[in-house]
Amino acid sequence: MGIASVGCSISDFLDKSGGYAVVDGGLATELERHGADLNDPLWSAKCLISSPQLITKVHLDYLDAGASILISASYQATLQGFEAKGISRGQGEALLRRSVEVACEARDIYNRRYRECARDGVANGGDLATRPILVAASVGSYGAYLADGSEYSGNYGESVTLETLKDFHRRRVQVLAESGADLIAFETIPNKLEATAYAELLEEEDINIPAWFSFASNDVVNVVGGDSILDCASVADSCDYVAAVGINCTPPRYIHGLIVSIGKVTSKPIVIYPNSGEAYDGLRKEWVKSTGIEDEDFVSYVGKWHDAGASLIGGCCRTTPNTIRAISATLSTKSSRSL
Ligand SMILES: [Zn+2]
């Protein structure tokens, strides 16, 4: 594809989609809501082995709710994690490819349904159904693989270097780049070191699909590991392989300030998909209401986030197809008013 087209393809997609796009919502937590037991180091990737049809269903639910970007179930799918379960390198690579195939299949089913409805003269959602849809291959952080909470502390200890992280992610990124995905979503990035590792990896491997870098934060100034969002977004800005920069799995109340900061250091599209604002209690293994400012009215923030410069908006953990339906309705009403 070449670097020039890698850089502009998300912008082209946004131009074709009216200047904004709706990202899907939480995948793992939605699989759990449907009864999947993800208490496992592979988390949502466990369903790639045990119940891929449930992943297809959740992807379809998000498309029906108005999402235009599906994120694959590879967040915690790593070759090292599969090997720890006795799954060979070859089988692990096949499972990584499978995560993208499952999302592509959901897109095919959705498009086929639309064509059949159109042929039979059945109205099924009007313009919503004709939109272009992208499949993003998810890459979770090294901390997500460790499954010890470090994806939310960003603290990998002194022994983990830039090279450790590049070696850890290299083969997975190569496989996902060749899987038929439209882009790679590097999600929940907890620190600048991992962002730098991804940027160098994309350059060294000359990855031929665009990427977005999405950081996790727990305030309005820094990413979870303590590096400033300005520094982290600058790493993404200076990498030609990165086509969008943003924030995911972060409480809604911090998002506006973070968008403003990111906009100061990059003109690339800004992607944001916050969580529901609840916090995960790792000891009790459950989500709990946060104290302080309520995030319940998540969707009422969406217009402000768009005005502040975010063009790709969706949800992360504990958001559902209902959240995405409401985001989609808000953005579509807003854009038709401004025409
Ligand atoms: Zn999340």
Side-chain angles (χ1 to χ4, degrees), residues 165-216:
L165 295 175
K166 278 159 58 174
D167 288 346
F168 175 78
H169 287 295
R170 190 177 304 272
R171 183 63 192 147
R172 173 160 69 146
V173 168
Q174 284 173 337
V175 171
L176 290 173
E178 299 296 330
S179 65
D182 301 296
L183 69 137
I184 302 179
F186 292 96
E187 305 190 88
T188 329
I189 308 173
N191 55 36
K192 186 178 169 189
L193 185 70
E194 196 149 23
T196 308
Y198 290 143
E200 291 190 9
L201 205 51
L202 291 169
E203 283 159 14
E204 286 168 17
E205 299 301 324
D206 193 20
I207 293 298
N208 64 357
I209 54 175
W212 80 39
F213 278 14
S214 177
F215 296 91

Side-chain angles (χ1 to χ4, degrees), residues 26 43 75 152 188 248-250 273-275 287 316-318:
W43 204 36
Y75 181 81
Y152 290 109
T188 329
N248 75 291
C249 218
T250 294
Y273 48 116
N275 58 30
W287 291 84
C316 204
C317 295
R318 301 277 279 179

Side-chain angles (χ1 to χ4, degrees), residues 64-94:
D64 285 336
S68 293
I69 301 183
L70 292 180
I71 304 176
S72 73
S74 47
Y75 181 81
Q76 218 142 299
T78 63
L79 296 170
Q80 298 83 344
F82 286 138
E83 271 170 24
K85 296 239 165 203
I87 296 168
S88 71
R89 201 24 91 112
Q91 287 170 319
E93 291 185 5

